[in-house]
Amino acid sequence: MKKRGSLIVISGFSGAGKGTVAKRLVKDYGYSLSVSATTRAPREGEVDGVDYYFKSEADFKNLIDYNGFIEYARYVDNYYGTPRAFVERELASGHNVILEIEVQGALNIKSQYPDAILIFITAPSVEALKARLIGRGTEEAAVVAKRMRRASEEADEMINYEYIVVNDDLDECVHTVHSIVISKRCELNQNIDFIEVTKKGFEQI
């Protein structure tokens, strides 16, 4: 039987590597990555429609009015949102879909999709997180400080996630997240239809 795909919500502190983890899951295991829309400016090397859908604030708000997002949030002076159509299509096709979103949207997703898997990616320490942000070299010190303050607030939301995964070694982190998804798909409540079909099969022998 073809199962509906799993929805995996990945959040984490800025600089924890959640984006890299998500891309590796796509590359290594064939996950579908939902490309978010945002009103922030592209960073060097980012491509519209690949890394994000870069929108003006007016266009973003127009999509909100037309129910074009599963969730959206304002984060460090910019909007971020998850386009609805892509997610629904991929799940129906049996593909596992990754949503890389901020903590504000994660619980909203869980309320709409009760079977969604909420995973929080973190650096091994606050010091390591700050070093990663500085090491990116893409943002001024004031922006790094703002992201660290925001991370402090997000730490209070970690308790609302089902899984906390430390990204100290990238390969191990990716494997751990994939293992969580496989384990969830083997749970009893994910296989009720299969059980019923199996029972009927024995009745016909």
Side-chain angles (χ1 to χ4, degrees):
M1 294 179 61
K2 186 175 182 179
K3 285 186 181 181
R4 181 175 168 86
S6 295
L7 185 61
I8 303 97
V9 177
I10 293 182
S11 303
F13 304 126
S14 179
K18 59 186 181 294
T20 303
V21 170
K23 289 175 182 176
R24 278 285 303 275
L25 288 166
V26 172
K27 177 177 178 291
D28 295 355
Y29 299 108
Y31 286 50
S32 294
L33 178 61
S34 174
V35 178
S36 297
T38 182
T39 58
R40 77 158 171 80
R43 296 185 184 126
E44 184 177 352
E46 289 184 329
V47 178
D48 184 47
V50 176
D51 299 285
Y52 284 94
Y53 293 109
F54 294 101
K55 304 287 185 183
S56 67
E57 189 162 317
D59 286 343
F60 194 101
K61 289 182 176 179
N62 187 54
L63 284 168
I64 293 174
D65 292 339
Y66 282 91
N67 199 31
F69 296 117
I70 294 174
E71 60 78 35
Y72 67 93
R74 191 169 179 87
Y75 176 78
V76 190
D77 302 326
N78 288 294
Y79 283 101
Y80 295 81
T82 302
R84 183 180 301 279
F86 174 85
V87 171
E88 291 289 353
R89 183 175 65 249
E90 290 296 295
L91 289 176
S93 298
H95 299 148
N96 293 333
V97 179
I98 301 171
L99 302 185
E100 183 195 334
I101 60 176
E102 308 303 331
V103 295
Q104 298 106 309
L107 294 182
N108 186 19
I109 292 292
K110 189 70 172 178
S111 68
Q112 297 181 64
Y113 299 87
D115 291 334
I117 305 167
L118 271 57
I119 302 174
F120 194 95
I121 305 292
T122 177
S125 68
V126 174
E127 292 77 13
L129 181 68
K130 185 174 182 179
R132 290 181 187 182
L133 285 172
I134 295 172
R136 289 199 303 204
T138 58
E139 294 157 340
E140 297 178 353
V143 177
V144 171
K146 179 179 277 191
R147 291 191 181 277
M148 287 299 294
R149 287 195 298 272
R150 178 59 185 151
S152 176
E153 296 170 358
E154 290 172 332
D156 292 334
E157 303 296 332
M158 293 171 71
I159 195 69
N160 293 317
Y161 283 75
E162 297 166 299
Y163 301 93
I164 307 297
V165 180
V166 176
N167 184 16
D168 194 11
D169 178 275
L170 179 60
D171 290 338
E172 183 178 342
C173 181
V174 171
H175 177 72
T176 298
V177 172
H178 180 60
S179 297
I180 289 169
V181 175
I182 295 301
S183 175
K184 291 290 287 185
R185 288 180 70 83
C186 294
E187 287 183 353
L188 176 62
N189 63 355
Q190 299 289 324
N191 291 279
I192 298 300
D193 290 343
F194 177 77
I195 292 171
E196 292 303 316
V197 169
T198 301
K199 289 166 63 178
K200 289 179 180 178
F202 279 112
E203 292 171 359
Q204 296 170 5
I205 293 177

